Amino acid sequence: MTSVYGQTACEPADLVLHNTTIYTANDAQWTAEAVAVLGDRIIFVDSNEDAARYMCGRANLIDMAGKTVFAGFTDSHQHLEGVGRRTKTLSLFGIPTLTQTVQTIADWAATIPEGDWVQGRGWIEREWTDEQRFLNKYDVDPFTADKPLFMPRADGVSALVNSKAMELAGVTRDTPDPEGGRFERDLDGTPNGYVLANAMNVFRAILPPETDAYLKDNLERGLQANAALGWTQTQDAGMSYRLVELMKQIHREGNMAHRVYAAVPVNEAQTMIERGREKTADDLFDVRGIKVFIDGTLGSRGAALIENYSDADHNGFMNRTTKEELVPVLHEALRKGIQIETHVIGDRAVRSLLDWYEEAYAAVPRTEWASTDLRWRMEHAQIIPPVDQQRFVELGVLPSMQPSHGIGDLNFAPDRLGADRLAYAYPWQQLVDRGLMILAGSDAPVEEGDPRIEFYAAVARKRLDGTSGPDWHPELAVSRETALKMLTIWPAYGAFQESLRGSVEVGKYADFTVFDRDLMTVPEADILSSKNVMTVVGGRITYQLEP
C-alpha cells in the first residue's frame, strides 16, 4: 500500500498528525512536523517525509495545516468538581460592578423558595468599576430575609453570608473568631456577613447535603469543560475521598476526558496514610498527595505576611492547619512516600512552611524515608523573598503558581504590599533563574481555568486588555518557551510523571493540545483569541471543535 508521501512500506499506527508545527516541550527536539501514535503511546516524532511509513493502512490521518500541536497542557492546580459545579449554579465571575453583582444575586434569590439556601460563587471586588469593597450582609439582607445565603468569593477562602445564615449557624456578636479564620465585624463587634477561611466552616456544616449523583455529574461536567479548553491533565488540589470514589466510577465507565492527578485534603490525611497511593493502570487517575491549607488570600487580606499589610493594621492569619496538626502528617508522608502540597500565599506562610518542611526532613531519619525523591510542593507561593527563593532550591520544593492570579492580584497588590515587597511578588522569572521548575495552573473555579489566559499571563504579565500598572515588574514575566514548559513537562515532573507524559517523545503517552494559532509566535493579544481545536489524551480525541 502506498502512503500519501509515496513510500510503500507500511508500519502500523492508529493516528498520525502531520503537516504542522509540533512544539514538543523536549529540549532535544523542540519542534517536529508529524507525530504517529499506536494505542495510547507515541511511536514517532519527526518530519512529514519520515512519517510517511505510518501514513497508511488503518491509521487515522489528520492534516493539521493551519493548526499548531503542543505537548498536552496540564493545569497544575485546579478543583475539578468546582469547575463542573460552576456550569450549573450562579456564577458571579466577570460581573463588572458591585451594583450589578448585587442585582444578579437578587434575581437569583427570587427564584429560590422561602427557607432554601441561596448559593453561588465567584464575586470578586477587584474587578468592579463602581466600588471595590467586600460584600456584606447589608447588601443582600433586604431580599433574603427568609432565605439563608452562602456565596464564596472567587478565591474560595472567604464568603458572603446573610443574617439568616448567621441566625441558623448561631453566629452572634459574642461568637469568637475561630483559629485560622475571622468574622469581619461592625464597629460594635457584630459580624457583618463577610467571613474568612475557617470562619466559613460553621456555615458549610449546615448547608443541605449533596447526593453522589449531583457530585458525579459535576465531575463529569468539569472533565468535559476542561477538555474543550485543551487541558489533557488537571492536578486536583484537595479532592475528598468521596470524590475519589466517584472518579473511579467515571474511569470504569470510560468517561475520563482528561487525566487527573489528585491530592486529598489534610483532614483526610490519615486515610491517605493508611491507603497509600492509588492509580489506574492507564495513568488516567492518580491519587498520591495530601493538600494542606495554611493562610488566606492577598485580596481578602488573609495571606500571612511577615510585616503588616500596607493598607491594614495586621499581617493576616495562619493556622488553617496548625503546626501541631501538620507535623505528624509530614513525618508519616516521609515514611510512606506521600507528596505534600501546601497552600501558602504570604511571605510569612511561605517561610514558616519551609521551616516546617526542613524540620520534618531532620526529624525523620533518612533510613525511614520511603524515597529521597520527595517533590513536595507549595501551592500559590505568591510572595517569596530572595532568601526563601533559595531555600526552595536547597530543600527541593516545587513552586506551583497560577499566572492568572498574578495579573489579577497586581491590580490591588501595590496597596496591600507596598513597593518593596512587590519586587518579589509573583516572582516567576526570579525562580526560573534559580533553576526552579514552576508548575503553572489556574486554580479554577477561582479563576477562569483557561490555558490561553495562563500562557498569556505568564509571558505578558499584563491585564487581559493589554494594559498594566507602574509596579507590575514586567521583568518577572517569562519567555514563551518557559511558559510552555510551565504548562507541560514541568507539571509532569511535579506529578512524578515526566517519563510518561509532558512532552512529545517516543514512548510517552499521546497527549496533545491543538490550537488554531501558533502561541509561540503570534502577537501577545492573539494568544487570548486563539481557539482550541482538538484535545488528545492517550491517543484518543476527547474534544474536537466542530467545523
Side-chain angles (χ1 to χ4, degrees), residues 40-45 499-501 505-510:
D40 58 5
R41 303 277 182 161
I42 297 166
I43 57 172
F44 170 87
V45 187
S499 65
L500 298 173
R501 58 181 309 279
E505 297 183 63
V506 171
K508 289 191 175 184
Y509 284 121

Side-chain angles (χ1 to χ4, degrees), residues 389-460:
Q389 293 178 23
Q390 185 58 31
R391 293 183 71 197
F392 273 73
V393 177
E394 294 165 357
L395 296 174
V397 175
L398 300 174
S400 171
M401 309 175 81
Q402 298 71 50
S404 56
H405 283 353
I407 64 169
D409 289 5
L410 281 166
N411 288 296
F412 55 75
D415 292 335
R416 299 286 190 274
L417 298 176
D420 291 346
R421 287 180 291 196
L422 278 177
Y424 47 81
Y426 318 94
W428 309 322
Q429 187 59 49
Q430 291 174 357
L431 299 178
V432 172
D433 287 343
R434 293 178 185 273
L436 288 163
M437 290 181 277
I438 297 174
L439 322 178
S442 73
D443 202 12
V446 172
E447 300 284 357
E448 189 68 28
D450 189 324
R452 298 169 301 178
I453 293 176
E454 301 307 326
F455 188 92
Y456 167 86
V459 303

